[in-house]
Amino acid sequence: MEWLRIPATDPGKKKSKVTKSPFYFFMMSKKTEWEAAGQWSERKTMEDLVHEAFPIWKSQQAENPEFMAPFIDMHRKWKMEKLGDLENKYDTLGRPLADIEREMARQRKKVADMEREVEETVMKGKQGRSLSKTLFYVGYFNYLCKTDQGFYIPCEGAVVEFSLEKGISRCWQEFLSPLDSIPKGYQYRCTRFSRVSHNLCPEFEKYATDYEQILSSLMQFLSVGQTDKAILPPIYVMPEHEEAAECITQFMMDKARYRESTQQLRVFSLPLLVLNLYNSSPKHSWPIEYLAQYTMEKDPYSHHYHLGCDFHEALENPTHCALSICKRLVFSLSSECCPAHNLPLRPGRHFPPDQSTLSSLSLEDKREMTRTSHVREEGGRINRFVPAVCGVTTVPDDFDREQVIHGEKGAFYPGLHPELRSTYQTVLQAEVEGKSANYTGNTFYTLDTDSDIGVKMGSSMVASQSSSNQYKTNRSTGRY
């Protein structure tokens, strides 16, 4: 195995202490401008140049922060040149610094292009007085788990079309087959994550496997109603979901062997869209994008029904359904942006429908959905290694204790009790002798037969002895 050799720096080479900040490049540009206009003398020092340029720098920065961008780029280029040949310099993981810088530049360009496109889309709709009718698309993609290599194994995707005026107009939802993307050893991790989220598993029978058809239907869904057919509108997702959405959409295009460079599935930031839509109103404005993100993260409709797909509605788990999540994001957006634009809210379009209405699913449909392969949370399964809950059962005021029917051998089986009036040993002895007792048998216990915990009323040894005595008494009388 050849070790990665990183050349050391020359110890005899002196490091330059000159630091050229963005202000330095602004100052030099002003000096060149003043010299061309004959307003600068060669006798003036660098300190004089600082005193002349700094007030202009501060005033321009307060009026228009964007003017600093070219000088920041000059500073970044100067810094990269100062570092030397980045192709032969590496970080602690052995990655060339040049690759890291190129990736950072690509990400910066991507964010800048996204911000510019969102602003232009909103501004175009506002100027044409059609912003309330402009169609946008919100998406969410469920995954079985995230691998150690950063890949999100897909299982479900949903996209919702909406406008400020009409609210939700169309929906697209599909169960995405993971195909061969599950690495060996990830079965348990997928099951563990699915059990506490969307309940889908790798063996689910209703997965769609034809990705060419899946991608074609999604692209057709996105292109309907668009004037520009050359480029697809972006899918807006929450920032914490961008990585998963980009991974799954790329997986869909790869499996469909889609190679078109223009009509690609693109993922944009939803809070950025909310910020621009809200600030486009004449009387409202948010200063930063974080306020829009905070509004979207509230999710006040997380436990509403009649929003998810048939499968999750049948399992009574619409909270983690991709379709339900998309709709709830649109509802949160509408609750802020529609009032800002003086637009009315409609049930089922801008906020959830009436929860008192019955589900449209028939009983046979629910049975069919529940028969499919899925995983459920194990909350309903009894864990016998955990003792019962402590306390005395609360009873209504009209409860008559004299009418309590005490089952045979009830003292030796855990149950509910209305009241404790005597010690555990006394109750057990009274049960053996056939006397009445108010205790119905609820006490803390473990699988350990050497101790009894909880109310600390006696021990399991006493209970075992009393049980043995009662068995002998019953055997002699013929009662069990």
Side-chain angles (χ1 to χ4, degrees):
M1 175 180 180
E2 294 184 2
W3 291 94
L4 181 63
R5 297 182 179 274
I6 304 176
T9 57
D10 187 3
K13 183 179 179 180
K14 295 183 179 181
K15 296 183 178 179
S16 175
K17 296 183 180 181
V18 178
T19 301
K20 297 181 179 180
S21 64
F23 173 69
Y24 172 85
F25 292 99
F26 169 77
M27 189 170 55
M28 291 295 104
S29 65
K30 296 301 293 185
K31 179 182 178 181
T32 304
E33 179 183 340
W34 290 336
E35 286 177 347
Q39 300 176 358
W40 188 259
S41 174
E42 294 293 338
R43 298 178 181 179
K44 293 184 178 182
T45 62
M46 181 65 72
E47 185 177 355
D48 297 330
L49 181 59
V50 172
H51 288 302
E52 292 287 342
F54 187 72
I56 304 175
W57 170 268
K58 293 297 291 183
S59 62
Q60 290 286 340
Q61 187 177 5
E63 295 175 1
N64 181 23
E66 296 295 333
F67 97 100
M68 297 174 56
F71 305 108
I72 294 176
D73 290 337
M74 293 180 186
H75 166 71
R76 186 178 292 112
K77 291 179 181 178
W78 169 81
K79 192 174 182 180
M80 291 299 102
E81 292 175 357
K82 183 181 177 182
L83 290 175
D85 186 10
L86 298 182
E87 297 290 348
N88 296 319
K89 291 187 176 181
Y90 309 88
D91 67 350
T92 55
L93 299 178
R95 301 173 299 181
L97 296 183
D99 293 346
I100 298 177
E101 177 59 27
R102 283 191 287 267
E103 179 62 22
M104 292 174 60
R106 188 186 70 84
Q107 291 293 337
R108 286 193 298 268
K109 182 178 182 301
K110 176 184 175 182
V111 173
D113 293 343
M114 176 183 65
E115 293 177 349
R116 183 177 63 255
E117 182 173 342
V118 174
E119 292 175 0
E120 290 177 354
T121 302
V122 175
M123 186 59 63
K124 180 180 178 181
K126 183 179 180 181
Q127 292 175 353
R129 298 184 179 181
S130 60
L131 180 59
S132 61
K133 299 180 180 180
T134 304
L135 297 177
F136 300 99
Y137 299 88
V138 174
Y140 191 87
F141 297 87
N142 272 322
Y143 51 90
L144 295 177
C145 75
K146 180 183 178 181
T147 66
D148 295 336
Q149 290 73 30
F151 176 74
Y152 294 84
I153 304 174
C155 63
E156 184 187 15
V159 180
V160 167
E161 178 189 78
F162 80 98
S163 64
L164 292 180
E165 181 182 28
K166 296 183 179 180
I168 296 177
S169 53
R170 294 188 302 135
C171 302
W172 179 91
Q173 186 268 345
E174 191 61 84
F175 294 109
L176 307 175
S177 173
L179 298 181
D180 57 349
S181 62
I182 304 179
K184 291 183 178 179
Y186 277 83
Q187 182 71 31
Y188 170 71
R189 188 181 298 188
C190 294
T191 303
R192 182 181 61 182
F193 179 76
S194 299
R195 180 178 290 124
V196 296
S197 56
H198 46 67
N199 302 138
L200 295 170
C201 63
E203 298 81 15
F204 186 60
E205 292 87 355
K206 294 187 178 296
Y207 279 135
T209 58
D210 189 353
Y211 273 91
E212 291 185 4
Q213 183 179 356
I214 295 173
L215 187 62
S216 176
S217 65
L218 177 57
M219 288 185 171
Q220 184 179 1
F221 176 83
L222 295 173
S223 60
V224 172
Q226 300 296 323
T227 56
D228 187 5
K229 301 294 183 179
I231 185 172
L232 292 174
I235 301 174
Y236 293 92
V237 301
M238 292 298 289
E240 66 273 10
H241 190 62
E242 286 186 21
E243 184 180 354
E246 290 178 349
C247 176
I248 294 177
T249 52
Q250 187 61 47
F251 176 82
M252 294 169 60
M253 291 187 290
D254 292 342
K255 292 300 180 181
R257 298 180 179 87
Y258 187 75
R259 297 293 181 265
E260 288 289 338
S261 58
T262 54
Q263 289 191 333
Q264 294 280 324
L265 296 179
R266 298 176 300 156
V267 175
F268 280 13
S269 172
L270 180 58
L272 178 63
L273 173 65
V274 178
L275 176 68
N276 283 271
L277 289 176
Y278 189 82
N279 290 350
S280 62
S281 61
K283 298 182 180 179
H284 300 82
S285 178
W286 279 332
I288 54 176
E289 184 180 340
Y290 175 75
L291 295 176
Q293 181 174 346
Y294 173 74
T295 300
M296 301 302 294
E297 289 176 348
K298 291 180 180 179
D299 197 10
Y301 310 110
S302 59
H303 297 286
H304 281 63
Y305 288 90
H306 313 314
L307 301 178
C309 64
D310 293 346
F311 171 74
H312 287 103
E313 289 290 340
L315 295 185
E316 297 183 351
N317 184 24
T319 303
H320 297 94
C321 176
L323 182 59
S324 175
I325 294 174
C326 292
K327 291 182 178 180
R328 299 195 316 256
L329 290 173
V330 174
F331 294 156
S332 298
L333 181 151
S334 301
S335 65
E336 295 291 341
C337 296
C338 289
H341 289 269
N342 297 322
L343 295 173
L345 299 177
R346 301 163 55 190
R349 302 286 185 171
H350 298 98
F351 60 91
D354 186 9
Q355 295 297 292
S356 62
T357 59
L358 298 177
S359 174
S360 60
L361 286 176
S362 64
L363 184 59
E364 186 61 31
D365 293 336
K366 291 183 178 181
R367 288 177 178 175
E368 181 183 357
M369 292 296 176
T370 54
R371 291 192 188 105
T372 59
S373 298
H374 61 277
V375 292
R376 297 298 298 270
E377 186 176 1
E378 294 181 339
R381 184 176 299 178
I382 298 176
N383 186 355
R384 299 191 179 277
F385 292 95
V386 179
V389 182
C390 176
V392 177
T393 304
T394 59
V395 295
D397 296 334
D398 57 349
F399 179 73
D400 188 3
R401 294 180 174 85
E402 301 298 328
Q403 297 181 0
V404 174
I405 300 176
H406 192 88
E408 185 179 358
K409 298 185 179 180
F412 308 102
Y413 189 85
L416 299 178
H417 56 78
E419 187 177 30
L420 291 177
R421 294 183 179 178
S422 57
T423 63
Y424 190 33
Q425 296 155 320
T426 305
V427 170
L428 293 175
Q429 188 64 32
E431 179 73 17
V432 171
E433 296 174 0
K435 299 179 180 180
S436 62
N438 293 325
Y439 178 69
T440 59
N442 187 19
T443 185
F444 282 107
Y445 70 102
T446 61
L447 296 182
D448 183 8
T449 58
D450 295 332
S451 63
D452 193 20
I453 64 174
V455 292
K456 298 296 182 183
M457 303 181 68
S459 66
S460 58
M461 184 179 298
V462 175
S464 300
Q465 292 175 353
S466 299
S467 176
S468 177
N469 293 335
Q470 185 190 32
Y471 175 75
K472 293 178 180 179
T473 303
N474 292 339
R475 185 175 183 182
S476 61
T477 58
R479 292 174 53 251
Y480 288 94

